[in-house]
Amino acid sequence: MLLSNSRCMLLNLYTFSPATFFKHLTPNNKPTTRCHRKTTVKSLATLSHFRSLSSRQRHQIHLYVHAILQWNKRMNLTAVKDADEVMERHVEDSLAILPPLRDCYRTRCGGAPPHEKLSLVDVGTGAGLPGVVLAIACPEWEVTLMESMNKRCVFLEHVVGIIGSSNIQIVRGRAESLGQNHCFREKFDIAVARAVAEMRVLAEYCLPLVRVGGLFIAAKGHDPEDEVKKAESAIQKMGASLLQVCSVDSRSPYGQRTVVICSKDRSTPMKYPRDPGTPAKEPL
C-alpha cells in the first residue's frame, strides 16, 4: 500500500522521500559513503537479530549508527553516546519487534510479511527508531516515518540518502492532525511506536492510522502490565482489541522488553484522534 505524495499536499505538512533528497543531486554526484567510517561494535557476537541480516543490511545499519552519533553532537537524538550502546539499546531493540510482529500478522491478517509489500508507519519516530531499522531489515515494506520536529526530519532525510533506501517516506506532522487526514487515516497495515508515550495516549495516536484488520505494535519496558490495563478502554474506543503482551529478546537495561500488540477490529470513530495536545493532557 503506497501513499501518493501528489494527493497528500497539505498546509504545514512537509513530506520527505528519497526522491526529495536525490533530485537535488546531479547524475554524477551521487551520494557516497567514502566519508563514513564503518562503526566498530565490540559486542557484535551478542547481537543475534543484527547477525541475521545480510551484509548489505548490516552495512546500512553501520552507516545509520554513525550518522546518529555524528548528528547527536549538535542536536538531541539520543542520550546514548557510544556505538556499542546504540547497537544494543536501539538497533537490536528495534529488530526484536520483528519476530512477534511477523507471527501475529501471519496468523491474524492472513499474510506473510517477509514477502508482502506491507505499509508500516512509525509514529513519533524521532531519530528513526524503530522505523529506519525495520525499513532496512524489510526492504519489501513501505515505511513511513512520522515526526513533528523539522530538524529531526532533516536528519532522517540525510539518513535515507546515505543508506540508499527507496522504501522510506518521511512525513512531518503531529499524529493527531495526520490521523484526521484522509491521506493517512486508516491507510496503514501496521503502526508502531517506541518510547513515545503511555499506552492510553499511544492508542489515540496510532490506531486511527491503522486500517481495519491491521495491527498496532507498541514497544514497551519490562513490566507494562498496569499501563496496558489502564489503556484497555482507550484501545476499545479506537475500534481495537488487545491481542497479546509478550516479552522479546533484547539487551535493554532490565534485560528484556515487551511488545504490546493490538488488532484493529472496526473503524475508529471520527472524533478521534482529538485536537493536538489533548490526548497527552487528557488521556482516555
Side-chain angles (χ1 to χ4, degrees):
M1 185 184 302
L2 299 177
L3 299 179
S4 171
N5 290 343
S6 62
R7 299 200 308 269
C8 300
M9 295 301 294
L10 302 172
L11 292 176
N12 301 319
L13 172 65
Y14 297 86
T15 303
F16 298 93
S17 68
T20 304
F21 181 85
F22 286 113
K23 74 178 181 180
H24 296 295
L25 302 172
T26 62
N28 295 323
N29 188 29
K30 295 180 180 180
T32 176
T33 60
R34 287 179 298 175
C35 61
H36 297 282
R37 295 178 291 102
K38 184 176 181 181
T39 304
T40 301
V41 181
K42 301 175 184 176
S43 55
L44 183 61
T46 67
L47 305 179
S48 60
H49 297 295
F50 175 77
R51 286 189 290 109
S52 69
L53 300 178
S54 70
S55 59
R56 181 177 186 274
Q57 289 169 327
R58 292 196 296 269
H59 179 63
Q60 288 177 304
I61 293 290
H62 285 311
L63 292 174
Y64 174 46
V65 171
H66 180 72
I68 288 177
L69 294 174
Q70 291 302 305
W71 282 61
N72 206 42
K73 295 176 182 178
R74 59 181 185 270
M75 60 185 290
N76 183 28
L77 291 172
T78 174
V80 178
K81 309 297 182 183
D82 176 78
D84 284 356
E85 285 193 272
V86 173
M87 291 294 296
E88 291 180 350
R89 294 197 181 192
H90 292 321
V91 174
E92 188 74 357
D93 195 66
S94 296
L95 290 171
I97 296 173
L98 277 174
L101 186 160
R102 284 173 166 148
D103 289 345
C104 198
Y105 192 92
R106 186 178 292 111
T107 56
R108 296 287 302 191
C109 305
H115 310 294
E116 190 174 325
K117 283 188 174 294
L118 298 183
S119 60
L120 179 146
V121 58
D122 179 9
V123 178
T125 188
L129 298 160
V132 170
V133 177
L134 297 181
I136 291 172
C138 305
E140 303 89 356
W141 297 5
E142 295 296 330
V143 176
T144 296
L145 307 178
M146 212 170 261
E147 172 57 42
S148 62
M149 294 184 64
N150 185 63
K151 63 181 181 180
R152 288 179 180 168
C153 289
V154 173
F155 165 73
L156 294 170
E157 185 182 37
H158 169 74
V159 166
V160 170
I162 63 171
I163 67 176
S165 289
S166 60
N167 63 328
I168 299 176
Q169 174 179 265
I170 301 162
V171 177
R172 184 171 75 85
R174 294 184 64 118
E176 302 98 317
S177 299
L178 299 175
Q180 288 290 355
N181 185 272
H182 72 280
C183 293
F184 303 99
R185 186 178 179 87
E186 298 193 335
K187 297 296 185 183
F188 296 94
D189 298 309
I190 301 169
V192 299
R194 176 181 180 270
V196 175
E198 64 163 295
M199 279 298 300
R200 289 182 297 172
V201 180
L202 282 181
E204 191 168 356
Y205 284 169
C206 297
L207 281 164
L209 298 165
V210 180
R211 68 170 175 83
V212 175
L215 299 177
F216 161 45
I217 316 283
K220 285 294 175 181
H222 69 293
D223 185 20
E225 183 177 347
D226 290 341
E227 182 181 338
V228 172
K229 186 174 182 179
K230 290 178 182 177
E232 288 180 359
S233 176
I235 292 169
Q236 292 174 359
K237 288 178 180 178
M238 295 303 115
S241 57
L242 180 66
L243 280 183
Q244 64 184 74
V245 179
C246 58
S247 297
V248 297
D249 293 331
S250 177
R251 296 181 62 81
S252 75
Y254 290 98
Q256 74 174 54
R257 292 277 287 180
T258 306
V259 171
V260 182
I261 304 178
C262 300
S263 173
K264 184 72 172 283
D265 305 318
R266 60 190 184 281
S267 291
T268 301
M270 285 304 301
K271 63 181 178 179
Y272 301 116
R274 292 168 290 169
D275 292 338
T278 302
K281 292 178 182 176
E282 303 173 16
L284 295 172

